[in-house]
Amino acid sequence: MVLSDLEGFIWFDGKIVEWKEAKVHVLTHTLHYGLGVFEGVRAYSTPTGTSIFRLDDHIDRLFQSAETVGLSIPFSAEQLKDAHGEIISLNNLKEAYMRPMCFYGSESLGIRADSLTVHSIVAAWEWPSYLDPETQEKGLKVKVSSFRRQVRNKLSKAKVNGNYVQSIVALNEAIEQGFEETLMLDTDNFVAEGSGENFFMVKDNKLITPDLDSCLDGITRRTVIELAEELNIDFEERKIVLDEVFNCDEAFFTGTAVEVVPINSVDNKKISDGSRGPITEKLQKTYLEQVRGKRATNADWLTTVET
Ligand code: PMP
């Protein structure tokens, strides 16, 4: 599938544009320097119809990222939220991956980035399971990246387009060496996160995840922490060193795209016996029930799309 060849509509600067006509000029500022902000959002089929998961939190984070880099989004949060619903319904999607993004136009290429227009898009398409059902159970073979994630400052923790250069390079390094994902350490050698996922491990029945010094404040991460609390799973947020990962009982990644996915080995060393652990399985199952509206709790996390 070539993404740009899909049929349908994209919300572009407040207008509905045919999928193939949603284009920008080659001198687009963000294309050259990576200064833009974006989100990855999912909508699921639920008993009350198609619902967007934690849309308010995604839009809040989009505005926070924009504020961090001084980019002024020319639409209100409400307008962008409505655009998500509109585009799902126009494209007749039951489940969708959604990509809101705000980026600079092509008025000039100066580094100072003034006098530039800010453009906004919301696209939605079917991206059923990023990871096939078998991987959801078997888990991922992970390589520790030779690249260090730059963290501990506001900029690197915002969801800014250019930050993804490090993720892409690190993931490609892992894939070239026969792995499926990468685990990045931060510049102080603490465990940070995956290319587009937060990291969790379980040791002696306690769920542990790196503190926010080292990683994106992931919305799936927040969800899993809240679900763990509901399920009475002990939880700790702290710095993790790599040795602890090699000796943990279970490990998994979280993210909007991958949802909750086990890690079966790191640098070819199995995590326990290499199969999905019981706490990972429980959180994965509960997460999938939550996003599909099959739990009575946290109903406010779902925004039902008007059709
Ligand atoms: N870390 C990074 C670097 C990411 O790009 C993502 C994906 N947004 C995540 C973690 C997970 O965040 P979320 O659960 O909000 O998708």
Side-chain angles (χ1 to χ4, degrees):
M1 175 195 82
V2 177
L3 197 53
S4 54
D5 283 349
L6 292 182
E7 299 289 333
F9 303 96
I10 289 178
W11 185 96
F12 195 166
D13 288 341
K15 299 190 187 71
I16 301 298
V17 176
E18 289 260 357
W19 193 276
K20 292 192 181 95
E21 300 309 317
K23 291 179 182 165
V24 293
H25 195 270
V26 289
L27 296 181
T28 296
H29 197 276
T30 303
L31 182 62
H32 291 252
Y33 306 122
L35 186 52
V37 294
F38 72 100
E39 277 296 314
V41 186
R42 267 192 192 275
Y44 292 90
S45 181
T46 76
T48 56
T50 299
S51 301
I52 307 174
F53 190 62
R54 299 195 73 160
L55 179 61
D56 289 359
D57 297 294
H58 281 287
I59 297 298
D60 279 355
R61 191 171 64 184
L62 184 75
F63 276 86
Q64 268 167 31
S65 298
E67 195 185 323
T68 301
V69 297
L71 181 148
S72 171
I73 301 179
F75 293 94
S76 68
E78 275 322 304
Q79 284 173 307
L80 289 182
K81 283 182 213 170
D82 289 349
H84 282 71
E86 189 180 0
I87 213 66
I88 285 195
S89 123
L90 270 176
N91 287 314
N92 283 320
L93 296 163
K94 298 273 168 286
E95 299 217 335
Y97 182 80
M98 318 198 68
R99 170 53 53 87
M101 178 173 74
C102 301
F103 60 98
Y104 284 122
S106 51
E107 288 82 7
S108 88
L109 277 183
I111 303 284
R112 65 174 62 198
D114 60 359
S115 322
L116 291 166
T117 50
V118 175
H119 298 282
S120 307
I121 59 146
V122 182
W125 65 96
E126 257 182 54
W127 192 355
S129 188
Y130 185 56
L131 297 166
D132 54 69
E134 195 190 321
T135 309
Q136 288 281 358
E137 184 178 339
K138 191 174 73 49
L140 295 172
K141 192 168 139 68
V142 170
K143 177 194 154 53
V144 177
S145 178
S146 69
F147 298 93
R148 292 287 179 269
R149 186 171 276 290
Q150 302 290 331
V151 285
R152 275 165 227 286
N153 69 67
K154 259 173 47 184
L155 179 57
S156 52
K157 286 192 281 173
K159 223 167 146 57
V160 170
N161 299 51
N163 287 348
Y164 282 77
V165 170
Q166 39 183 348
S167 289
I168 296 169
V169 170
L171 180 59
N172 283 346
E173 175 193 55
I175 289 170
E176 270 163 26
Q177 295 180 25
F179 295 85
E180 294 159 309
E181 244 307 335
T182 186
L183 178 62
M184 299 189 80
L185 306 183
D186 68 18
T187 37
D188 291 330
N189 281 337
F190 291 115
V191 172
E193 58 188 337
S195 62
E197 307 88 18
N198 287 109
F199 174 82
F200 284 83
M201 66 178 204
V202 176
K203 182 70 182 173
D204 298 331
N205 293 317
K206 182 184 270 185
L207 182 67
I208 309 166
T209 198
D211 60 39
L212 292 176
D213 275 348
S214 301
C215 59
L216 185 79
D217 182 3
I219 290 164
T220 321
R221 176 186 182 277
R222 287 185 220 160
T223 305
V224 162
I225 293 170
E226 288 170 75
L227 295 179
E229 199 178 347
E230 283 178 33
L231 297 170
N232 290 321
I233 296 167
D234 269 357
F235 168 71
E236 196 180 358
E237 188 185 54
R238 63 163 168 82
K239 305 218 179 297
I240 298 175
V241 295
L242 191 54
D243 257 0
E244 292 181 274
V245 176
F246 291 127
N247 293 307
C248 72
D249 304 325
E250 304 178 32
F252 60 90
F253 279 132
T254 64
T256 300
V258 299
E259 299 162 325
V260 176
V261 64
I263 296 172
N264 61 44
S265 66
V266 175
D267 283 355
N268 289 321
K269 295 180 193 78
K270 276 188 192 164
I271 302 291
S272 288
D273 65 359
S275 63
R276 177 176 61 185
I279 293 182
T280 307
E281 185 174 355
K282 186 157 203 183
L283 287 167
Q284 188 184 45
K285 189 169 154 274
T286 311
Y287 181 79
L288 293 174
E289 285 170 0
Q290 184 74 64
V291 296
R292 294 216 154 81
K294 292 182 184 150
R295 301 184 79 233
T297 48
N298 313 309
D300 58 331
W301 283 346
L302 290 164
T303 304
T304 305
V305 173
E306 314 271 331
T307 44

